[in-house]
Amino acid sequence: MGGILVIAEHLRGTLGAQTGEAIGLARDLKARIGGPLVVTVIAGDPARYHADLALEGVDEVLGVAAAEHFDPAVYEEAAFALALELKPRLVLLGHSVNGMGFGPALAVRLGGSLVSDAFGIEADGGRLLALRGGYGNKVLTKLDISAACVTTVMLRGGSAKPPSAGTAPLRLVSLDLQSAAARTAEHKDYVDPPPADVDITKAEFILSVGRGIQDEKNIERFRALAERLGATFGCSRPIADSGWLPKAHQVGLSGKVASNCKLYLALGISGAVQHLHGMKHVETIVAVNTDRNAPIYNVATYGAAIDLFALADALEKEFN
């Protein structure tokens, strides 16, 4: 057993950013654990992704022909078959909606361990340590994954940098995936979100609002406040679901992850698990909520149980 297998993620002909990041992490790690670095792409035409996956440090790109759209059962079956053949030490994939669709099931079938929402892996002497947050992301947790079994690691977005271009060859692999594909519903089409005027994933400073703003008419006030402060305007899921802001502004599991954010100002957000997924890793989180027991305070760096409209008044006066 040795080496690393990376499962690529793509949507409508474009590779996901976390795939390159996973390859970057694997490249830096493979010299310490030994074995090859192999990247697998499951797609209608795997060859179209070859050049973008043959990055520095990759030894081989494996192409598996299947439907172009993501199917969790197909990805699970293909990754399982390849892992049995290659016997990797680590299987890396993105901690994304798609990754969560098949990653845990893959780990169970492989009989190994699973680390979700990881942001790094260290080789400490003879040990392998997966890095992730603990206690509401207030502490750094190091999980020992040194046991002689395959470990599936789901990598948080923004955790590594993609390598430069390389020259890894492409090998097409034929797998029988018909029975797996038959287990899921038929894919009909993609539904495009409305055009986005923000990119939450690239913002370094985000001001997000939740149900605490009480009324849709207050959206423009807080949007203007975000502009005054030089922040990107974000929101929690209830705001997007109500149609008060486009989905592109939503931070969370079914929205966007604040991958590059350094300062997150949460106004009137309770802190549901879905929302915390998109921002709990941010270095500095300032939460404002009159409910002192709100879950957002479990991850906040600083908190203020004050009226958010009073705070908005003060900030508007200060930054007028």
Side-chain angles (χ1 to χ4, degrees), residues 44-319:
D45 179 17
R48 69 181 294 184
Y49 299 99
H50 175 213
D52 292 328
L53 293 174
L55 302 179
E56 179 188 356
V58 175
D59 295 291
E60 187 177 34
V61 177
L62 299 183
V64 178
E68 181 67 17
H69 63 270
F70 172 75
D71 183 325
V74 168
Y75 269 60
E76 176 194 331
E77 185 64 31
F80 177 67
L82 293 173
L84 290 184
E85 174 193 340
L86 300 172
K87 296 179 174 55
R89 179 64 187 78
L90 297 173
V91 177
L92 299 185
L93 55 142
H95 185 77
S96 61
V97 172
N98 287 1
M100 286 184 281
F102 77 98
L106 173 64
V108 170
R109 291 187 66 184
L110 291 174
S113 57
L114 169 71
V115 180
S116 63
D117 198 23
F119 51 78
I121 301 175
E122 291 182 352
D124 182 11
R127 299 192 304 162
L128 277 181
L129 304 173
L131 311 181
R132 69 188 310 277
Y135 294 97
N137 223 52
K138 293 183 180 296
V139 299
L140 169 64
T141 302
K142 295 187 177 182
L143 304 179
D144 193 330
I145 55 173
S146 303
C149 65
V150 60
T151 299
T152 301
V153 180
M154 299 168 61
L155 187 66
R156 177 189 296 175
S159 298
K161 293 183 178 180
S164 56
T167 58
L170 172 68
R171 174 164 66 96
L172 298 179
V173 179
S174 179
L175 297 176
D176 183 3
L177 302 173
Q178 290 185 351
S179 60
R183 298 204 303 267
T184 56
E186 181 183 356
H187 176 81
K188 292 293 187 180
D189 200 358
Y190 294 101
V191 178
D192 289 318
D197 58 347
V198 297
D199 189 347
I200 293 295
T201 63
K202 296 180 180 179
E204 294 188 353
F205 176 20
I206 298 174
L207 184 155
S208 277
V209 295
R211 285 178 292 189
I213 67 168
Q214 301 176 6
D215 196 291
E216 183 178 6
K217 66 183 181 182
N218 293 317
I219 284 289
E220 290 308 315
R221 178 185 183 183
F222 286 96
R223 187 199 301 271
L225 178 61
E227 292 178 357
R228 288 188 186 188
L229 298 177
T232 297
F233 193 37
C235 68
S236 61
R237 179 173 178 174
I239 300 298
D241 285 352
S242 298
W244 296 3
L245 280 173
K247 192 75 171 178
H249 290 258
Q250 182 189 331
V251 179
L253 183 59
S254 57
K256 300 293 185 179
V257 175
S259 305
N260 294 309
C261 188
K262 296 179 174 58
L263 174 60
Y264 192 88
L265 179 56
L267 303 181
I269 295 176
S270 62
V273 172
Q274 191 273 351
H275 186 75
L276 297 183
H277 170 84
M279 45 68 69
K280 64 183 180 180
H281 58 278
V282 175
E283 181 179 346
T284 303
I285 300 171
V286 180
V288 178
N289 195 307
T290 53
D291 180 5
R292 295 177 180 272
N293 296 316
I296 191 72
Y297 287 128
N298 293 328
V299 301
T301 313
Y302 305 101
I306 61 175
D307 181 82
L308 63 88
F309 295 102
L311 175 64
D313 289 338
L315 290 174
E316 287 167 350
K317 181 179 180 180
E318 180 68 22
F319 292 92

